[in-house]
Amino acid sequence: MSTLAAISARDAAHASTTNASPDLLEASDGGDAADVMVVIDTFEKDPPHGDWVTYLAATGGLNVRPEEVGTIATSNDIHSEAEFIDSFNQALEEALDKDESLRVVNISSSRSAARAVYEMAGDLLKWGDSLQSAREALDAQRSSADLERAEKAIKNAESLIREFDLDKDADEKEILEKVVEHAESSFSSDEVKEAQEEIAKTVESLHDKGISVVVSAGNHQQVADQLEKWGVDFNEDTFLDNSLAQGPVVRVGAAEQSAEDFFSGWQWPEAKPAAFSNASGEIDIAADGTDIIVATLSAPKETQPQSGTSFAAPQVAVLLADMYRINPELTPDEALQILKDTAAPPEDEDAKQLGAGLIIPGMARYEAQNTREN
């Protein structure tokens, strides 16, 4: 799995083998530290998700200094799906008012019907088998780990039976059908649609100003997989879609490895999706999202591994920021096309999770340089 050090070493190796000009690897010098990139997040302290994402954005680039990465906090006082979208739209409007140095916005938050189902029925889903098997596990007094999971699954099911006024003997499929129906109705309400229309307009305005908005795909593919196993229907077109990914955003999925082995033998790396990464059919590109080494800027030595599309997205965002620093004339559409053209392509069956494939940062930066020179 990749670390920031490995990423930097990999890209330096690629630059040396492709006769890139020296300034490709040099950070910008001098001048005020205006925001080149902004991270929008809730910035809660437990866990410090926004701080981890900002750490990756601030330390993962070659041409962007840490002080050129700004942050905008969204509201923590959220009571509906529409309010969640509105809070991020307000943050994007704040980004829209920043000066012309801003080129990239990163959003590593996600909401989807799949996530809502997980939040309501997570213990039942994590059991992964029938309620009958959970009861049998309790009767048989299996291992303590099995007993704990079985107890949680049964309690989760009983709570949902009461909430949706189901028959007390309802099985897992009946329960989850009600949960899915409730979740999907929440994301298809008029209020949510109006909020999505507004955020799409703001994203379009940022795009027109030459600013890329990068959004993580979400981490609940396994919810959909489990529902399919149990024969529970859901809307395949929208169930896994991040409600924040509206308008011309760059949608980022998570791969289970980086491209750092690319430089040994000049073989395409295998682009394989992380099991949790949402497959929505709208994913543009992917980056390593498993066991990514993160920290906070206030305590950079206190590192730990984290997985998720949240940590794939800032790798793409800071790469775009590097590319804009190399070639300021690039438009968001041109920059995204370079990412796609230089990516390691996935197998056809993995394209819904990985889009055009796994980013190869050194090649993308080099192509940005070539575009400038031509």
Side-chain angles (χ1 to χ4, degrees), residues 48 52 291-295 302-306:
W52 289 336
D291 291 339
I292 303 302
I293 302 302
V294 299
E302 298 177 12
T303 61
Q304 59 181 291
Q306 291 290 330

Side-chain angles (χ1 to χ4, degrees), residues 69 82 93 109-110 116 127 134 155 163 169 184 210-211 218 249 257-258 261 264 271 280 297 319 331-332 347 362 365:
V69 177
E93 288 175 338
S109 298
S110 68
W127 172 246
K155 287 181 180 179
E163 181 173 349
D169 295 322
E184 292 192 323
I211 299 168
V249 299
Q257 81 284 72
S258 75
D261 292 334
S264 58
S280 70
L297 291 174
L319 174 56
T331 67
E347 298 293 334
R365 293 188 184 101

